[in-house]
Amino acid sequence: MKFTLSWLKQHLETTATLDQIVEALTRIGLEVEGVENPGEKLAAFKIAKVLSAERHPQADKLQILSVDAGNGPLQVVCGAPNARAGLVGVFGAPGAYVPGLDVTLKLASIRGVESNGMMCSTRELELGEDHDGIIELPADAPIGTAYPDYAGLTDPVIDVAITPNRQDCMGVRGIARDLAAAGLGTLTPLTFDAFTSEGAAPDVRTKDTAGCPAFFAQTVTGVTNGDSPEWMRRSLLAIGQKPISALVDITNYLMIDLGRPLHVYDRAKLSGGLVARKAKDGEQVVALNGKTYTLDATMTVIADAAAVHDIGGIMGGEHSGVSADTTDVLIECAYFDPDHIARTGQKLTLTSDARSRFERGVDPAFLEDGLAIATALVLHICGGTASDVTRSGEPPLEPRVIHYDPRLSADLGGLHVAPERQAHTLLSLGFTIGAIQSADAFSDALFSTIEGKWPVTVPTWRRDVDGPADLVEEVVRIEGIDNIPSTPLPRMPGVAKPTATPEQKLERRARRAAAARGLDEAVTWSFLSEAEAAPFGGGAWTLANPISEDLKVMRPSLLPGLLAATGRNLKRGQQSVRLFEIGRRYLADAERATLGVVLAGDRRPRGWREGKAASFDAYDAKAEALALLAASGAPVDNLQVMGEAGDAWHPGQSGTLRLGPKTVLASFGMLHPSVLKAFDLDGAVAAVEVYLDAIPPKRATGFARPAYTPPALQAVRRDFAFLVPAALATDTLVRAVKGADKVAIVSARVFDVFTGAGVEDGHKSVAVEIVLQPTAKSFTDEEIKAIADKVVAAAAKQGASLRA
């Protein structure tokens, strides 16, 4: 939020310097993002008058202007549609730096015609977003005067970051209140010119008490909607707001000044009374930004008998907006429920200054005075006669009382503050303590009457204060967080004990193993869009209040985030992408610790020795899965390879690693082409998901296995070639062979698979090497033959016959 120093001093009587104010703002939790003096960078720009305008001989959209900036006429080539003789605007001579264009002007030739500088638009001077034409100033603006001096741009502009919980500081007055409580001055009383009202109150009402609990309104007849006063125009221009007309500028000014959004309707464009109601499904409204929005029955609108005129609390409609011809207006001052505003804004993807305030929560007790101040300004600036006020509904004004123990400042906040000082701070911020209504009413005698815990009443503009801890925060931030003494945490005597849980240790091992294998770690969002989650079965959990529609669903898999990161890397020219991430999947029953891997691009680059580049395949994914499981402590020798990896995987090039038929430890293989298309990826992509929470934990006591002792006798290797049905998984055959003699056979592996000549159709030849390890004495020929017979018999049970 931006405001000028002079604007702040309208609410704060202070002798503090700009530097002191800026330091105090950040100290009390209102972080200053920047301070700038727009007049400094625009000092070279002067007010100039266009003496004549003629069409450029070489371009239909360009004009040759004769411009007087106080030192005689200069020739300027201009393409602005509103450039014309007699116009008074802002001129930059050669040598002036144009901040909006990031260029320094110089003498130039445009289509063969010399141009000595330029006439500037609002955007080019970074004073707003208007770029439809050059700035138009009043005809009596002093020619040759520096534009910053004329526009009042010499006033420092302070930009403060307002956190979502500080709705009271969405107006300059709220910021001034905080500074006054911090000891930088005195908050000035809020006053306005008194006026009399006459005539019937307007016909307004609320039928949606959930979305719009209170709707106050007043009409003013006989207004003249011209330009707003110079002081108001300068204030708005200084913070980047474009002055439009007196009626519009009044509402914008009060929104920034007091944090109170209002809306003004042209009564001539209304049909009957106004009502706050729920929209009908499919109703449409053209908003003030020129866009058409389709509404639904969850949204609050302001409508008359004919149409919708306002998306309640967010943006008014274009049809009923005021114009230069407006003579009768209706001023709306309503209270809208913050949750309804937030949901409507998200559905419509519509942001506005009003929405940013209403969804934080404006002061529900400031309807009466807010409407009176707006009406007084309209009468003072535009003239006219005010009607009586219509008050429909009731704002939520139930008082909140917190019983506060001042000792919590030290116990909870770590800062000892005298009770009297705490009371004065809370009273200065607008809280009341028992019978003490304000800091001015504070006295030792009155304070001494409060016994036990203080009954602290929360002001209506502090929706964020909910309990004693919030009051401690108020006291501590005003005193200064820097004043909290640094206190080390107590430490137990002796050597510190390890604190990492088994789950944390498992993730550390997995992370180190993945990095050691050449994978790059990525950290992606835990939230996805619905489109990204859909290929992986959709999300079980959807956020009710997401920060973006693209971050709405809690991820059912780590692969979508890794695929998005892979796509970004490939599009930037990366030839080989090897990413991994350790995080959580959010399933219907629980959060699941998972390690995800994505392999894309070239597994091996092209070279003189290997030839063409090689891509990743399902076997690469399987190798990564087995290596990561082994490093994580999984019993990889007991794993079974099975199918059914899921719809996101290629059905013929993927699988799962399991301990038994039900315990899935990992999925691996190539991703389905439809998934790659959804993420705009070309070429094949291999992936792995290791389900860390499914890995069986180590035994609580003792060792899982004895210490390794090298065997004293040499192992014996034997090869078997089996003829097996083509549909038989080689893993099934290997497991059967290895289980033929669990004592003597220590390992078995496939070293050849053959189909073709000599092998009948529907079959394949699988060669298996087994390793026999003698223990007490070497094997005899008879013992080896007996083991071989067991191997052949075990293979036969799987439909295999010995080939050689």
Side-chain angles (χ1 to χ4, degrees), residues 552-568:
K552 184 177 182 179
V553 179
M554 301 190 77
R555 64 186 178 193
S557 166
L558 270 64
L559 297 183
L562 290 172
L563 289 174
T566 298
R568 289 192 294 271

Side-chain angles (χ1 to χ4, degrees), residues 354-367:
R355 174 191 166 185
S356 68
R357 286 163 173 80
F358 275 121
E359 70 181 350
R360 283 174 165 86
V362 301
D363 183 2
F366 196 60
L367 291 173

Side-chain angles (χ1 to χ4, degrees), residues 445-468:
L446 189 58
F447 181 66
S448 64
T449 62
I450 301 176
E451 299 178 356
K453 293 184 178 181
W454 302 350
V456 179
T457 303
V458 181
T460 54
W461 58 80
R462 291 304 300 270
R463 180 171 172 257
D464 58 306
V465 176
D466 193 47

